[in-house]
Amino acid sequence: MTVAGRQGRIIPPPLRPGDTIAVLSPAGPVNSAELAAGERFLEQRGYRVRRGRHVMARHGYLAGTDRQRLADLNRAFADPRFQAIFFSRGGYGTTRLLPGIDLGPLAARPRIVLGYSDLTVLLNHITSETGLVTYLGPMVASDMSQGLRGRTLTSFEAMIEGRAGGISMHCQPGKAAAGARKGFLRCGTVTAELAGGCLSMIAATMGTRYQPKLEGKVLFLEEVNEPAYRVDRMLTQLTQAGLLNGLAGLIIGRLRGCGSRAPGGGGGLQRFLAWLLGSLRCPVYFGFPSGHGPEKVVLPIGLPVTLDSSRGLVALHAGGKLGL
């Protein structure tokens, strides 16, 4: 079994009833009814919710101008009243703000930062630059407006509210690689730090100073509404750039709306991915219930995750301890 330790990561304090959450819109414009419903969900759990000044702004396909969205981010990071920063939705626009973000106040006073999709680049940037653990998980308007249920809620309670030491999920036995349980495309056992998020956002950082450092880490990838050939193209780009060479492990989450047909009439996207990633020498798990889909198991960027194909196990860690 391979184990890679944490590199001085800082775990933010969990949320407690009475804490105040900032809700921001650094990407696409927001539906007001969905945002209000998501805020009610958080208030029913005992939290105070405060919107950024420009949450409901609109500037073309963005939730306000770059200046407005950046001001909301920096204001929330600097405001000591907030115990967490949540986001209304994804879309596009977060990468445009990265050069102007002041991470100093967030590093000095760690808070929970939770989001996914377009927020992928911000979460990985925060963890890389400050050591603060960030969280891939549901957003206020696009997800919490419908409430959180099942494993999404369980992982939210474990990771964000600190109600348990982590969460582990056993896959059911089924057809898979030799010696592995269902879901594993490559066998192996490893515990290493988690990084990643939306595949297209990881690919978009290529050649920039925000490109994540992935060597020795377990990479999580998910995507939405991209046909198989585009998934192929982005994974090929990461492979040819050498980003996947030193991975300790790979978790592929939901590929919602990405099609099931592989190029050349292959049997399906899972088989295609097994072929495409055949050069990897690390455990690979396919179909983790997180990303653009109904289930969004909360993932801690910067903390260890365990992959164990012999037991069909994917285990997340909170506070450095394995949850049962």
Side-chain angles (χ1 to χ4, degrees), residues 26-27 87 89-90 94 115-124 139:
F87 302 101
R89 58 156 294 182
T94 307
Y116 72 106
S117 189
D118 196 62
L119 281 304
T120 291
V121 289
L122 176 59
L123 300 179
N124 285 269
M139 292 188 281

Side-chain angles (χ1 to χ4, degrees), residues 295-306:
E295 284 191 295
K296 294 176 175 65
V297 170
V298 179
L299 296 169
I301 300 299
L303 285 185
V305 59
T306 294

Side-chain angles (χ1 to χ4, degrees), residues 189-314:
T189 301
V190 67
T191 296
E193 183 180 300
L194 187 70
C198 187
L199 171 60
S200 57
M201 299 311 303
I202 299 295
T205 65
M206 293 292 301
T208 74
R209 67 186 181 96
Y210 308 106
Q211 179 178 315
K213 299 176 179 64
L214 300 178
E215 186 171 359
K217 297 180 181 179
V218 172
L219 174 63
F220 172 74
L221 293 175
E222 58 90 19
E223 192 50 80
V224 62
N225 295 335
E226 295 284 1
Y229 79 89
R230 291 186 184 175
V231 175
D232 177 346
R233 181 168 63 197
M234 288 184 283
L235 285 170
T236 299
Q237 179 186 13
L238 298 186
T239 301
Q240 292 178 344
L243 259 68
L244 305 185
N245 291 346
L247 289 183
L250 176 63
I251 300 173
I252 301 172
R254 296 300 188 222
L255 299 173
R256 189 178 190 185
C258 293
S260 60
R261 294 188 303 277
L269 189 55
Q270 181 171 351
R271 185 179 300 174
F272 165 57
L273 288 170
W275 167 80
L276 182 66
L277 302 172
S279 61
L280 295 180
R281 296 295 178 262
C282 64
V284 178
Y285 181 83
F286 177 87
F288 190 83
S290 192
H292 289 82
E295 284 191 295
K296 294 176 175 65
V297 170
V298 179
L299 296 169
I301 300 299
L303 285 185
V305 59
T306 294
L307 298 177
D308 186 343
S309 61
S310 64
R311 293 191 292 161
L313 177 69
V314 178

Side-chain angles (χ1 to χ4, degrees), residues 100-209:
I101 295 174
D102 180 8
L103 297 178
L106 192 61
R109 185 173 176 274
R111 265 80 51 78
I112 289 171
V113 184
L114 172 71
Y116 72 106
S117 189
D118 196 62
L119 281 304
T120 291
V121 289
L122 176 59
L123 300 179
N124 285 269
H125 177 53
I126 290 172
T127 299
S128 176
E129 293 297 312
T130 69
L132 177 66
V133 172
T134 55
Y135 298 91
L136 277 165
M139 292 188 281
V140 180
S142 55
D143 305 298
M144 296 181 191
S145 59
Q146 304 297 317
L148 302 183
R149 302 173 183 84
R151 290 182 291 193
T152 304
L153 178 59
T154 300
S155 63
F156 181 87
E157 292 174 341
M159 297 292 171
I160 305 303
E161 298 179 331
R163 297 195 187 185
I167 181 170
S168 60
M169 300 188 327
H170 287 269
C171 313
Q172 295 299 316
K175 186 177 180 181
R181 299 278 183 109
K182 185 177 180 181
F184 278 90
L185 304 184
R186 289 193 63 86
C187 298
T189 301
V190 67
T191 296
E193 183 180 300
L194 187 70
C198 187
L199 171 60
S200 57
M201 299 311 303
I202 299 295
T205 65
M206 293 292 301
T208 74
R209 67 186 181 96

